[in-house]
C-alpha cells in the first residue's frame, strides 16, 4: 500500500489525469499590456464670417384687428373709420364693421351708434349690414339706463326698415340684455309685445326669464306671469319650468306656495 506500481513509473501520462478533481488550468496571461483606445474626436467647424447679416422681421399689424375707441365723440369715430378704410390694403368684411360698431357702442349713446352705422353704410357701399349688426344696437339699447323702451323700439323699427323683422334670436338677445341690466319689468313688457307680433320666446328664453324672475321677484308674481303667458299667448310651461319652480320652493323661498306647482 502506498507504493506506485512499476508499470506507472515510466508512463508519460500526467499525474493530474489520475486525480478525481484535477485543479483548473489557469489561462496564460499575456505579457503585452493593451492600451485603451481614445474616443474619436471630430473638431467642430467654426462658422466663417460672411458679409451678409440676417434682418429681423418687424411684426406687421393686422388691419382687421378690432379697434378700441377711446372717445365717444362721433366726429372722432368717423375720422378713425376714414383713416382705416383709406390705409387698408385688403377688403373689410362685415365682421370687421361689426367689431368697430361693437367697440364704439360700448362707450357711446344709442343715437350716436346708429349715426355711426349709417356713416359706415354711406361711406362703404360694399358693406351690407346683417341681422347680427342690428343685434349689437339692440343689446346696447337694452342695457342703456332708460326709464322706458323707447330706445329698444327705435332699434327694432330700424331692423324692420332694413328688412330684418324680429325673430326668436332677437327676442332672446333683448330679454337677456334687459335682465342683465336689472330691467326685469321691461323684459316682461317686451316679451308680451313681441309675442303679439309673432315673435314669441322659445323654450330657452322662456325658462331663462322664469329662472331670473324667481331670483328677483316673489313666486306669486312668477306664477301670475306664467298664467298670463299661457292664457294670452298660448305659451305653456314645460318640465324645465316646473323644475325651476320646485328648486326655488325647496330652497326655502315662499314654501307655503309649494302646492301651487
Amino acid at each position: 500500500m502506498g507504493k506506485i506500481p512499476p508499470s506507472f513509473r515510466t508512463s508519460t501520462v500526467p499525474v493530474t489525469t489520475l486525480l478525481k478533481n484535477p485543479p483548473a488550468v489557469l489561462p496564460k496571461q499575456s505579457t503585452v499590456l493593451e492600451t485603451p483606445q481614445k474616443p474619436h474626436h471630430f473638431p467642430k467647424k467654426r462658422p466663417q464670417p460672411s458679409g451678409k447679416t440676417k434682418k429681423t422681421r418687424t411684426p406687421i399689424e393686422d388691419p382687421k384687428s378690432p379697434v378700441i375707441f377711446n372717445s365717444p365723440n362721433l366726429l372722432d369715430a368717423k375720422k378713425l373709420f376714414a383713416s382705416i378704410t383709406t390705409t387698408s390694403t385688403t377688403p373689410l368684411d362685415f365682421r370687421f364693421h361689426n367689431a368697430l360698431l361693437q367697440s364704439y357702442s360700448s362707450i357711446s349713446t344709442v343715437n350716436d351708434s346708429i349715426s355711426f352705422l349709417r356713416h359706415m353704410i354711406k361711406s362703404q357701399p360694399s358693406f351690407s349690414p346683417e341681422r347680427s349688426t342690428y343685434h349689437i344696437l339692440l343689446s346696447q339699447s337694452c342695457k342703456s339706463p332708460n326709464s322706458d323702451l323707447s330706445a329698444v323700439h327705435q332699434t327694432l323699427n330700424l331692423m324692420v326698415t332694413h328688412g330684418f323683422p324680429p325673430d326668436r334670436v332677437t327676442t332672446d338677445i333683448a330679454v337677456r340684455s334687459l335682465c342683465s341690466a336689472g330691467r326685469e319689468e321691461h323684459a316682461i313688457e317686451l316679451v308680451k309685445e313681441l309675442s303679439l307680433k309673432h315673435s314669441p320666446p322659445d323654450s330657452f328664453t322662456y325658462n331663462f326669464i322664469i329662472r331670473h324672475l324667481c331670483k328677483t321677484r316673489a313666486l306669486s308674481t312668477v306664477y301670475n306671469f306664467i298664467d298670463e303667458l299661457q292664457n294670452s299667448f298660448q305659451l305653456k310651461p314645460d318640465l324645465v319650468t316646473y323644475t325651476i319652480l320646485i328648486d326655488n320652493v325647496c330652497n326655502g323661498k315662499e314654501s307655503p306656495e309649494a302646492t301651487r306647482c
Side-chain angles (χ1 to χ4, degrees):
M1 294 298 291
K3 294 182 180 181
I4 300 175
S7 60
F8 289 107
R9 292 178 182 177
T10 59
S11 175
T12 58
V13 180
V15 180
T16 56
T17 58
L18 302 176
L19 300 178
K20 293 183 178 180
N21 297 321
V25 180
L26 297 177
K28 294 182 180 181
Q29 296 183 354
S30 176
T31 57
V32 181
L33 297 177
E34 296 181 357
T35 57
Q37 295 181 356
K38 295 182 179 181
H40 297 286
H41 177 70
F42 298 96
K44 296 182 179 180
K45 294 182 179 180
R46 295 181 180 179
Q48 297 180 357
S50 59
K52 298 181 180 180
T53 57
K54 294 183 179 180
K55 296 181 180 180
T56 57
R57 295 183 179 180
T58 56
I60 301 175
E61 295 183 358
D62 186 5
K64 293 187 178 182
S65 59
V67 178
I68 304 300
F69 290 88
N70 297 321
S71 172
N73 186 274
L74 180 59
L75 182 59
D76 294 340
K78 291 181 179 180
K79 290 180 180 179
L80 181 58
F81 178 73
S83 64
I84 294 173
T85 55
T86 54
T87 57
S88 178
T89 57
T90 57
L92 305 177
D93 57 5
F94 82 96
R95 294 182 181 87
F96 180 76
H97 290 83
N98 283 359
L100 287 178
L101 182 62
Q102 180 73 44
S103 176
Y104 182 65
S105 64
S106 63
I107 60 174
S108 65
T109 62
V110 177
N111 290 330
D112 285 345
S113 297
I114 295 176
S115 299
F116 182 63
L117 174 61
R118 289 172 176 169
H119 174 74
M120 289 194 297
I121 297 173
K122 183 178 180 180
S123 58
Q124 291 290 318
S126 60
F127 169 50
S128 179
E130 297 188 359
R131 182 179 295 273
S132 59
T133 308
Y134 296 101
H135 282 168
I136 296 174
L137 298 176
L138 178 63
S139 179
Q140 180 190 10
S141 62
C142 292
K143 294 179 181 179
S144 60
N146 293 340
S147 58
D148 54 15
L149 292 173
S150 58
V152 178
H153 291 155
Q154 181 183 5
T155 306
L156 293 175
N157 293 334
L158 184 66
M159 292 179 60
V160 175
T161 303
H162 289 82
F164 297 102
D167 58 3
R168 292 190 173 184
V169 178
T170 305
T171 304
D172 183 77
I173 292 175
V175 169
R176 292 177 185 270
S177 299
L178 288 170
C179 290
S180 65
R183 303 174 62 182
E184 292 85 2
E185 295 299 329
H186 289 159
I188 294 174
E189 180 182 350
L190 188 63
V191 165
K192 298 176 183 179
E193 178 183 338
L194 293 177
S195 298
L196 287 174
K197 296 180 179 180
H198 308 288
S199 182
D202 57 12
S203 59
F204 297 100
T205 309
Y206 179 93
N207 289 320
F208 171 82
I209 191 172
I210 295 299
R211 182 182 290 105
H212 189 83
L213 291 177
C214 286
K215 297 178 181 179
T216 59
R217 296 291 187 273
L219 287 180
S220 58
T221 304
V222 180
Y223 295 146
N224 293 333
F225 178 61
I226 293 175
D227 292 340
E228 185 177 2
L229 292 180
Q230 183 172 359
N231 297 329
S232 302
F233 309 104
Q234 288 74 45
L235 296 176
K236 298 180 180 181
D238 57 8
L239 181 61
V240 177
T241 310
Y242 289 113
T243 303
I244 295 172
L245 297 175
I246 293 173
D247 288 342
N248 281 271
V249 171
C250 293
N251 289 334
K253 186 174 181 180
E254 299 187 12
S255 56
E257 299 192 18
T259 56
R260 178 68 183 275
C261 298

